[in-house]
Amino acid sequence: MYSQKVLDHFRNPRNVGRMDNPDGVGKVGNPVCGDVMVMYLKIKNDIIEDAMFETFGCGAAIATSSIATELIKGKPIHEAQNITNKAVVEALDGLPPAKMHCSVLAEEAVKSAIEDYEKKRNEGEGKPAESA
Ligand code: FES
């Protein structure tokens, strides 16, 4: 059985949709069930100002990505980077054992979006300064 929180986030997902001009994007999938999750982040001064997601998958994957966006919004990236699927599950008041892997997808999506942001930032720093 799903908790009320899981049902709530599944029925009324928060921060759902594609973000315009995100600073980091993470796309992850589970090859076993075929579900896919995309996480978009807006980051300023190392703080996650906004997070949005698109999930093509099961109800638990939608609920875990929805709560994950709420957990990381307003957090410094070094904290968001340490998000665990356990924290996601706890925030949802639990998940059935067969659905634990859905929360792993949420953890991986957040981490992958932060990695993408850091990669882009490092590439930006490596570029020569533009001449006027
Ligand atoms: Fe695959 Fe939920 S069944 S993410």
Side-chain angles (χ1 to χ4, degrees):
M1 268 307 290
Y2 288 121
S3 71
Q4 284 303 319
K5 267 210 176 153
V6 174
L7 294 175
D8 177 34
H9 278 266
F10 167 57
R11 291 184 184 133
N12 308 295
R14 325 296 200 265
N15 310 308
V16 68
R18 181 185 292 262
M19 184 187 280
D20 290 331
N21 302 318
D23 296 309
V25 181
K27 185 175 175 186
V28 294
N30 182 312
V32 178
C33 63
D35 292 351
V36 175
M37 201 180 275
V38 189
M39 183 71 60
Y40 303 95
L41 301 178
K42 201 53 105 199
I43 299 172
K44 204 169 175 192
N45 298 329
D46 284 349
I47 304 282
I48 298 186
E49 288 205 319
D50 201 7
M52 289 179 77
F53 76 94
E54 290 180 300
T55 290
F56 309 95
C58 73
I62 291 168
T64 55
S65 32
S66 168
I67 197 107
T69 58
E70 293 212 313
L71 288 175
I72 61 170
K73 263 188 170 190
K75 292 254 166 70
I77 47 177
H78 69 266
E79 266 182 45
Q81 219 160 15
N82 292 332
I83 191 170
T84 59
N85 78 303
K86 199 166 159 264
V88 169
V89 171
E90 273 169 16
L92 285 173
D93 295 336
L95 269 182
K99 289 286 170 183
M100 289 305 271
H101 78 271
C102 317
S103 64
V104 174
L105 217 50
E107 174 189 328
E108 287 175 352
V110 169
K111 290 182 171 168
S112 154
I114 293 174
E115 266 170 35
D116 179 57
Y117 163 73
E118 291 188 326
K119 203 173 116 213
K120 282 183 188 150
R121 192 175 57 172
N122 291 340
E123 279 169 7
E125 277 173 6
K127 273 190 205 152
E130 278 178 40
S131 53

